Amino acid sequence: MKKTSLYNEHVNLKAKIVDFAGYQMPIQYGGIIQEHLAVRKSCGIFDVSHMGEFIISGSEATKFLNEITTNDVSKINEWQAQYSAMCYEDGGIIDDILVYKYPDHYMLVVNCANIEKNFDWIIANKPENVDFANISSTIDLIALQGPKSKDILSKYADVDLNNIDYYHFCIANICGSTVTLSRTGYTGELGYEIYADGNAIKNIWKSLLQSENQIMPAGLGCRDTLRMEMKYVLYGNDINEKTNPIEAGLGWITKTNKTSFIGKEKLIDLQLSHSKKLVCFEMIDRGIPRPGYSISNDSNAIGIVTSGTQSPSLNKGIGLAYVDKKYSKTGTSLFVDVRGKKLKCEIVKPPFYKNGSVFN
């Protein structure tokens, strides 16, 4: 199993370590609920160094990225990030990614479990005048998330954080190290992600946690509950090679009006003909939905849960599920089969948690 540069820091903090996509990662420190609420109310810091990073450059880099991603790369400016996806010809999702546009190259941030698959796909489709490198082993990543993140980080960064808009980034000096500082995250709260080499990340992590600021280390457990409350999809749960962006609610990053891209024709067809839809639901009866649980109407199975948890913010069971399209309307009452018991639930409008500070 691989270890990030912060592995020993997690051990010293008495984190519960689990295997995650080939890495030894902290699932929690003091407790998932405690860490979740700290991010919602104050600030948490995450090690997400397991994510992968690719560099794309060359005279045809923009054109190439537009051919392999669903969003329109030509629409973003330098120092701007974009959420996107890569699809197969049949519309199946290879991965959901972030695209960062630097002045002379692009950086793609990909899910760790998909690094090899993504690498092979890009190599197979890349023209000769595009340069491509996998720098995942040289880049570490931490995320500072929560309504107090700006105030805390401003004490350590040499840039005015008020000038970094949502989904924008810059080069900054933090705790004496040059980093890529991005106003992005996976929690629904105001937050920043910091990309740098392992030594710099260790120094920044230690400096932030040893300061007088109230920052709580947060593990992958609460990262999952936080993203679920926002209906942020997770690859391997809510999306995969057998799902497509249209039914997953990612039509907003699927620009079928741009020039040809891989999967475009199938995705245009699916805009008119997809039969299922990823929805949010809240439990009416007491119970916790889990991935794989069946969703039904009065008598027939009409869907399946892809993600589910007990929401720490709402104190009720919540979940994401693919259901037959005709049952996807907000307010529809359905049932979740929880260990042989049919418990009532209701389709709700996303996100579950509506008080996040992400745009503050």
Side-chain angles (χ1 to χ4, degrees), residues 55 59 61 89 105 130 141 147 154-155 212 257 264 268 282 323 330 337 339 342:
I55 297 296
S59 60
E89 289 87 347
H105 68 275
V130 170
L141 171 61
S154 64
K155 300 174 184 177
E212 296 179 359
N257 59 343
K264 176 181 176 178
I268 289 174
E282 291 183 353
V323 300
T330 298
D337 189 335
R339 298 175 183 173
K342 284 193 173 184

Side-chain angles (χ1 to χ4, degrees), residues 82-150:
Q82 182 184 74
Y83 181 53
S84 191
M86 296 191 296
C87 291
Y88 292 115
E89 289 87 347
D90 66 358
I93 300 172
I94 301 169
D95 202 5
D96 63 327
I97 63 175
L98 287 178
V99 179
Y100 287 83
K101 185 175 184 179
Y102 290 79
D104 60 351
H105 68 275
Y106 292 90
M107 180 173 72
L108 309 187
V109 180
V110 304
N111 286 295
C112 61
N114 295 332
I115 291 175
E116 184 176 348
K117 176 179 66 173
N118 293 338
F119 181 89
D120 292 344
W121 178 253
I122 291 173
I123 287 292
N125 289 278
K126 182 187 75 66
E128 291 185 0
N129 54 3
V130 170
D131 296 318
F132 173 54
N134 178 6
I135 62 167
S136 304
S137 62
T138 65
I139 298 293
D140 278 16
L141 171 61
I142 55 176
L144 195 68
Q145 301 282 300
K148 295 184 180 179
S149 59
K150 181 189 292 185

